[in-house]
């Protein structure tokens, strides 16, 4: 059974600072790893899909890497802005289902 | 292009009652998945429907059932509601493009069981 852990559970970051958080998994027995961004009272928004060891994806100030051999993915945010405040979740795509971590709640302090 | 829509947005039921939640997928999507999210946890997979059939099911009891219609919309039914069924229920639709499949989510239905 795949188990997805995310750390930290929450994070307070000063506006303008860069930050990163982790998604870890014990097995690489999945098809893809997804990162989602979820703002309060909105729908989860897909950020990245990664499938291969060493994958790196970037969208604006946000980027992600995948290391299936060591069992982790990092999400990086450069120069945090207030609009980056949200919960960031990773999910493993395995056998037609997404297996989710509990998320990292990011709060940007102005 | 409307995204994934869900109805109702909020719902209050009592123990033992039955509930039906509805989902309309993003235009062009043929696959619908349902998730339950309890407070402080990540979403838990309930089941996925494709071509009007349940293709995969998570670890949920038979009280949870679903249906997909020819227009790809879907319903989630929960019978004999328990207090522990109180949660946010998310619907996601998807379409496989090449080798990647991204699920697009609706805003959810928040169910409170009293």
């Amino acid at each position: 059974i795949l188990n997805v852990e995310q750390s930290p559970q929450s994070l307070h970051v000063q506006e303008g600072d860069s930050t990163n958080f982790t998604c870890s998994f014990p097995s690489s027995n999945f098809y893809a790893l997804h990162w989602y961004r979820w703002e309060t009272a909105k729908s989860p928004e897909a950020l990245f899909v990664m499938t291969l060891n060493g994958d790196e994806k970037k969208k604006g100030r946000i980027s992600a890497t995948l290391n299936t051999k060591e069992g982790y993915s990092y999400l990086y945010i450069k120069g945090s802005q207030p609009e980056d405040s949200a919960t960031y979740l990773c999910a493993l795509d395995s056998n037609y289902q997404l297996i989710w971590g509990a998320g990292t709640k990011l709060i940007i302090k102005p | 292009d409307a995204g994934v829509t869900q109805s109702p947005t909020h719902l209050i039921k009592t123990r033992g009652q039955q509930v039906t939640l509805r989902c309309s997928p993003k235009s062009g999507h043929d696959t619908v998945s349902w998730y339950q999210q309890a407070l402080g946890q990540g979403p838990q997979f309930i089941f996925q429907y494709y071509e009007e059939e349940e293709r995969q099911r998570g670890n949920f009891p038979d009280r949870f059932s679903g249906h997909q219609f020819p227009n790809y919309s879907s319903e989630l039914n929960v019978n004999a509601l328990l207090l522990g069924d109180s949660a946010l229920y998310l619907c996601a639709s998807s379409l496989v493009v090449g080798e990647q499949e991204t699920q697009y989510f609706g805003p959810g239905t928040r169910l409170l069981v009293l």
Side-chain angles (χ1 to χ4, degrees), chain A residues 36, chain B residues 2-5 23-35 48-49 68 72 90-96 101-106:
Chain A
Y36 281 83
Chain B
V4 179
T5 60
C23 173
S24 291
K26 189 175 168 67
S27 178
H29 285 188
D30 59 4
T31 302
V32 173
S33 303
W34 287 92
Y35 295 85
Q48 183 182 86
Y49 276 83
Q68 185 178 35
Y72 305 123
L90 293 164
C91 167
S93 73
S94 56
L95 177 71
V96 177
E101 179 180 352
T102 296
Q103 294 191 12
Y104 293 83
F105 284 81

Side-chain angles (χ1 to χ4, degrees), chain B residues 23-104:
Chain B
C23 173
S24 291
K26 189 175 168 67
S27 178
H29 285 188
D30 59 4
T31 302
V32 173
S33 303
W34 287 92
Y35 295 85
Q36 179 196 67
Q37 192 202 24
L39 271 176
Q41 298 179 21
Q44 298 292 313
F45 174 75
I46 303 175
F47 41 55
Q48 183 182 86
Y49 276 83
Y50 173 69
E51 292 188 342
E52 301 180 53
E53 297 283 334
E54 183 183 287
R55 176 159 68 175
Q56 182 60 272
R57 186 178 183 92
N59 189 26
F60 278 80
D62 292 344
R63 299 186 297 109
F64 289 76
S65 63
H67 188 78
Q68 185 178 35
F69 299 93
N71 66 354
Y72 305 123
S73 67
S74 177
E75 288 181 350
L76 163 66
N77 301 291
V78 187
N79 294 322
L81 284 166
L82 303 174
L83 296 180
D85 295 331
S86 296
L88 179 69
Y89 289 84
L90 293 164
C91 167
S93 73
S94 56
L95 177 71
V96 177
V97 177
E99 295 183 345
Q100 293 189 355
E101 179 180 352
T102 296
Q103 294 191 12
Y104 293 83

